[in-house]
């Protein structure tokens, strides 16, 4: 008989079992999504590094050409480092999710400390990066989650900005909350 025609006690057990199976399915899909996302993120910089190296080694080049290739490869290695940072952060986020860690911290201070790699990336691309934190920016939440999101937004802004421009990150506290 269909579950709706079973006694209420049995229907409750069926619903609980269905809910448990749904959560198990979601948890088992998560690693697959992570692996496919990482493969996608790694593919482009790895292909760039290999292709550029192979072309460069086809013939002798002057030192300026080798320097240009190395600078380009340094940028791709930075992307790979970013993927690695994201993986480490995601691992720690999963652990924090299980422990439900909430921290109280100043996002402005953390941003100034933690956006060093993005400053270097901006410099290599001839782009300015300005981080302005107005007032105390005390937040309560997942420190690594917030910083990962901020770093990803800043990295994307740098990637889409033309040389000579400046990426501005402005943070301030308002009556409505924190504005970035």
């Amino acid at each position: 008989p269909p579950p709706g025609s079973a006694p209420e006690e049995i229907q409750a057990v069926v619903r609980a079992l269905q809910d448990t199976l749904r959560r198990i399915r979601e948890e088992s899909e998560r690693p697959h999504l992570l692996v496919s996302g990482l493969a996608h993120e790694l593919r482009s910089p790895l292909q760039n590094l290999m292709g550029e190296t192979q072309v460069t080694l086809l013939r002798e080049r002057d030192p300026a050409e080798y320097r240009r290739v190395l600078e380009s490869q340094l940028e791709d290695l930075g992307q790979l480092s970013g993927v690695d940072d994201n993986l480490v952060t995601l691992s720690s986020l999963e652990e924090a999710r299980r422990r439900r860690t909430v921290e109280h911290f100043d996002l402005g201070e953390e941003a100034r400390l933690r956006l060093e790699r993005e400053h270097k990336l901006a410099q290599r691309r001839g782009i300015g990066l300005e981080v302005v934190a107005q007032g105390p920016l005390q937040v309560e939440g997942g420190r690594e989650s917030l910083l990962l999101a901020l770093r990803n937004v800043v990295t994307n802004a740098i990637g889409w900005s033309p040389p000579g421009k400046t990426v501005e990150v402005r943070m301030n506290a308002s009556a409505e909350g924190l504005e970035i």
Side-chain angles (χ1 to χ4, degrees):
S5 65
E8 182 60 35
E9 297 82 15
I10 300 297
Q11 289 181 29
V13 170
V14 168
R15 283 192 300 272
L17 182 58
Q18 288 172 333
D19 187 47
T20 300
L21 290 173
R22 179 190 51 77
R23 284 195 313 266
I24 290 170
R25 187 173 40 256
E26 288 171 358
E27 288 294 323
S28 68
E29 289 173 356
R30 196 172 296 177
H32 173 72
L33 292 172
L34 178 63
V35 169
S36 65
L38 283 172
H40 176 74
E41 290 288 321
L42 292 171
R43 180 176 296 127
S44 187
L46 287 172
Q47 287 176 339
N48 290 345
L49 286 166
M50 289 173 43
E52 206 167 35
T53 302
Q54 290 169 342
V55 168
T56 302
L57 293 174
L58 287 175
R59 64 176 175 80
E60 287 293 319
R61 300 177 184 280
D62 64 50
E65 288 180 88
Y66 285 121
R67 181 174 186 77
R68 185 199 58 76
V69 169
L70 289 173
E71 287 171 349
S72 173
Q73 290 184 343
L74 185 59
E75 195 168 297
D76 288 328
L77 289 168
Q79 279 185 289
L80 290 173
S81 177
V83 171
D84 181 55
D85 286 350
N86 284 346
L87 180 59
V88 168
T89 300
L90 287 171
S91 296
S92 65
L93 289 176
E94 184 62 28
E95 180 62 28
R97 185 179 67 83
R98 282 194 286 271
R99 288 184 283 129
R100 302 279 187 226
T101 303
V102 174
E103 299 176 78
H104 187 77
F105 63 98
D106 186 312
L107 184 60
E109 281 299 311
E110 287 289 331
R112 281 190 279 277
L113 293 172
R114 304 283 280 287
L115 292 175
E116 186 60 34
R117 188 179 71 225
E118 289 73 14
H119 276 285
K120 290 178 182 176
L121 172 63
Q123 282 179 332
R124 283 195 306 273
R125 291 183 171 217
I127 297 168
L129 176 57
E130 183 180 329
V131 178
V132 178
Q134 298 172 343
L137 301 173
Q138 298 298 316
V139 296
E140 193 171 299
R143 181 188 312 249
E144 295 305 320
S145 309
L146 288 168
L147 290 166
L148 175 61
L150 181 62
R151 290 175 78 180
N152 284 339
V153 168
V154 171
T155 299
N156 285 339
I158 292 167
W160 288 99
S161 295
K165 297 294 181 177
T166 298
V167 171
E168 296 178 1
V169 180
R170 299 200 178 277
M171 298 176 278
N172 66 332
S174 71
E176 292 81 36
L178 180 67
E179 293 178 3
I180 301 175

